[in-house]
Amino acid sequence: MGSSGIRWGFNIGNWKPSRNEWMLAARCVMQEEKDRIGRFVFTKDGKASMSGRLLIRKVIADQLKIPWNAIKLGRTERGKPYLANTKSYDYYGKPHAANTDSDYDYDAALFPNFNFNLSHSGSYAVLAAERDRNCGIDIMDVARPGSRDIPEFFRLMRRQFTPHEWETIKGAGSEWDQLEMFYRHWCLKESYVKATGTGLGVSLQRIEFHPKTMVLKQDVIIKDTELYFDGDLQSSWRFEETKLDEDHCVAVALNRDNQDEPPPHFKILSFTDLTSSAIPILPEDENFWTIFASKEEKPKRQQRDRTSYQQPSGY
C-alpha cells in the first residue's frame, strides 16, 4: 500500500450491471449486507451500497491478504465499519499455524492500526485506507438543493457552519461557486468526524476550516486547508482535497500527519478491478437480479443547471 495509503473510486453512475455482474456482486457480500442492499427502492442506491461493500472487501483482501470469503466486517456504535476478524492470516492468505483453532488479532504485528473509510454521493463511491493512522473520507455531488433556491438553502443550514465559514462560502463568487464552497466545507467536516469516529455527536460549530487554496481542480490534490477546533489550530491533522470531476468534490482527513508524504491520487476502478480478488460467499440468487432489474434507477428531480445561477445577491 505504501506510506501514503490508498484512494479508490468507483463510478456508480456509469455502472449498468449486467445480470452476471449483479449476480456475482450479490454472491460476494455477507447475507445481511445483501438483504440491506435489496431493500433499496432505487437501483442507484443499491449500486452505491453494493460497490461500497465490495470496495471495503477488496482493500482488506489486497492489503492484508485475508481471503475475501474469510473477511468479517462490523460497525462501531457510531456506524463506522471496521474489520472484525480475530484470526490471523499470513501474506499468502493462510491462517497462521498456531492460530488455526484459536482466536487472535488479525496480523496485529503487521497492521495494528489499519484503517479505512467509505463515502458515496452522486455518481461515485470512494474509499480511503491507511496502514497506520486514522482516516475519514467524504464526497459530495454539487447539485441543486431540491426545490429550494440557494439563499433559502443556506438559511436553513446556517447552524452547521461558523461565521468565518459562512464568510468564506458567500465570498466564493457566483451562487454556483458558493454552492461548491458550501459542499466543500461539508466534505471537510464529514471527513473529520468520520476519522475521529464521533459521527454527528459533536457540534459542527466547534469545527472550523480555513481554506488557503480557494478553488479545487480535478486531479489536483491540495493539502493546505487548516482545521480549528474550539478556536485552536489542530496542526496534527491534514486534509487532502480534490475534485473527481466537475461536479464531485472529495476530502480525506488524516491524523498524525507527515507533510513530506506526497498525497496519493484517486484510482477509479472498473467492476473487473473491484472483483479481481473476490471469492463468492453466497449461492446464486436469480430472484435478487429479477427484483433489481425491475426497479427504477432514481427518483425524478430537478436537473443540475449551472447557467441558472446568478451572481451573489448580498445575503
Side-chain angles (χ1 to χ4, degrees), residues 145 148-161 166 169-170 178 182 315:
R148 295 185 175 91
D149 60 22
I150 303 304
E152 174 65 8
F153 177 61
F154 284 173
R155 186 187 70 79
L156 294 173
M157 300 297 291
R158 67 185 184 278
R159 294 182 179 179
Q160 307 304 326
F161 299 97
W166 277 120
I169 291 168
K170 292 180 179 180
Q178 292 179 36
F182 170 90
Y315 48 82

Side-chain angles (χ1 to χ4, degrees), residues 15 40 47 63 74 91 155 165:
W15 185 33
F40 284 107
K47 291 189 298 180
Q63 302 305 317
Y91 271 97
R155 186 187 70 79
E165 289 173 328

